[in-house]
Amino acid sequence: QVQLVESGGGLVQAGGSLRLSCAVSGRYVMGWFRQAPGKEREAVAAIGLQSDNRTYADSVKGRFTISRDYANKMVYLQMGSLKPEDTAVYYCAEARRYAATVVVQEYAHWGQGTQVTVSS
């Protein structure tokens, strides 16, 4: 089994910043996803085995940054210029791939999720 643990969620005002962290188990493609009430889970960002291989959803480009730290087995999602529509439960996940992917079906192992709430 793969164990993933997210942290860093919370309540923030619109325009603010927040950093999410995910403790990972090994060398995998990693993705951040989010799910709002009544909506399907959607990809936010992904990072490949090479740290400069990154992809983002159009809705967060220029505002969010995904990164990883192999030495500490951590993946991060730095979120800035937050908007109320960013409110969701955020999940990190692992995929057996080499390049970053935003295809949710390619991710097999998921964390428990962390709540991000952005107020007006």
Side-chain angles (χ1 to χ4, degrees):
Q1 296 183 352
V2 179
Q3 183 172 304
L4 302 174
V5 181
E6 303 102 330
S7 62
L11 176 64
V12 63
Q13 292 185 344
S17 299
L18 204 61
R19 188 177 78 160
L20 305 183
S21 300
C22 179
V24 304
S25 61
R27 184 175 169 86
Y28 299 97
V29 167
M30 298 297 305
W32 283 99
F33 298 80
R34 66 187 182 189
Q35 187 167 23
K39 298 183 179 180
E40 294 186 353
R41 188 168 300 182
E42 64 175 348
V44 176
I47 187 167
L49 300 183
Q50 291 186 292
S51 296
D52 60 352
N53 174 217
R54 307 171 186 178
T55 188
Y56 299 92
D58 288 341
S59 61
V60 306
K61 284 184 178 178
R63 299 190 298 120
F64 291 10
T65 301
I66 188 171
S67 62
R68 69 190 308 158
D69 180 350
Y70 278 117
N72 292 300
K73 295 184 177 181
M74 298 292 291
V75 176
Y76 305 99
L77 183 68
Q78 180 67 48
M79 305 183 294
S81 300
L82 284 163
K83 306 173 182 179
E85 51 263 44
D86 294 318
T87 296
V89 176
Y90 283 71
Y91 301 87
C92 64
E94 297 180 347
R96 292 183 179 180
R97 299 291 186 272
Y98 294 103
T101 177
V102 296
V103 180
V104 65
Q105 291 83 0
E106 295 182 354
Y107 289 84
H109 299 97
W110 299 78
Q112 80 286 351
T114 185
Q115 177 71 46
V116 172
T117 302
V118 184
S119 62
S120 300

